[in-house]
Structure formats: structure tokens, C-alpha cells
Amino acid sequence: MMEAEARRQRQHAAKGRPRKVERLIAEVWKKRQVSITELRSGSRRGKMPEVRAEVTRKLVQDYGVTIGEVARQGGVSRSAISKILGRSYSS
């Protein structure tokens, strides 16, 4: 019951979501010292997979952003985002 209520609240919070998404991405790339262009390029070099996974988990779990939107913001496919989430749920 509580999970359904939490999901409903995330869905209703969609109005301010684009700004929150941009803010979260900027916060993470600044903290991790990664350029936003590099994050959105789909690069798999260095710490990019780890940074992208962090952003993905936060956007999907905390903000309720769709996998498709996360993929667009992250410069990767929806399949890549699904794999990131699958790995995070199995660990």
C-alpha cells in the first residue's frame, strides 16, 4: 500500500521533473568531475559507467523518470538503462 502511494506521488511530481532531472545531472557531474557532454555522449570510458549508473538509479528510483527519458538524457539506449537497473537490483 505504501509503495503504491509513493509511486502515485512520484507520478504527480512530474510537473517539475525536467528541472529536477537537469539539476541532478549537473550535481552528479560536478561532484564526480565529469563533463555533462561526456555523460550524454554514451561514453563507456573511465568512470562514465559508474556515473551513469548513479544518475540512472537516482532518476528512476527517486524521481520516477521513465527509462526512455533516462536513456535520452544519458545518451544511451533504453536497453542499456534496463541493464544498469538490473545490475543495481541484483547487487
Side-chain angles (χ1 to χ4, degrees), residues 42-91:
S43 173
R44 295 186 294 181
R45 297 178 133 202
K47 54 187 163 184
M48 290 313 303
E50 185 181 320
V51 172
R52 188 173 289 110
E54 179 182 346
V55 169
T56 296
R57 283 190 300 271
K58 286 183 179 183
L59 289 176
V60 172
Q61 294 171 355
D62 299 345
Y63 294 102
V65 178
T66 65
I67 290 173
E69 181 61 24
V70 174
R72 282 187 291 280
Q73 293 290 332
V76 294
S77 68
R78 292 184 333 192
S79 175
I81 297 301
S82 293
K83 288 178 184 178
I84 289 169
L85 291 172
R87 284 190 296 265
S88 70
Y89 291 138
S90 65
S91 32

Side-chain angles (χ1 to χ4, degrees), residues 4-21:
E5 178 63 23
R7 185 175 37 241
R8 186 184 67 75
Q9 287 177 349
R10 281 194 313 265
Q11 289 171 345
H12 288 339
K15 188 174 185 177
R17 189 176 294 151
R19 278 181 253 121
K20 288 179 182 178
V21 169

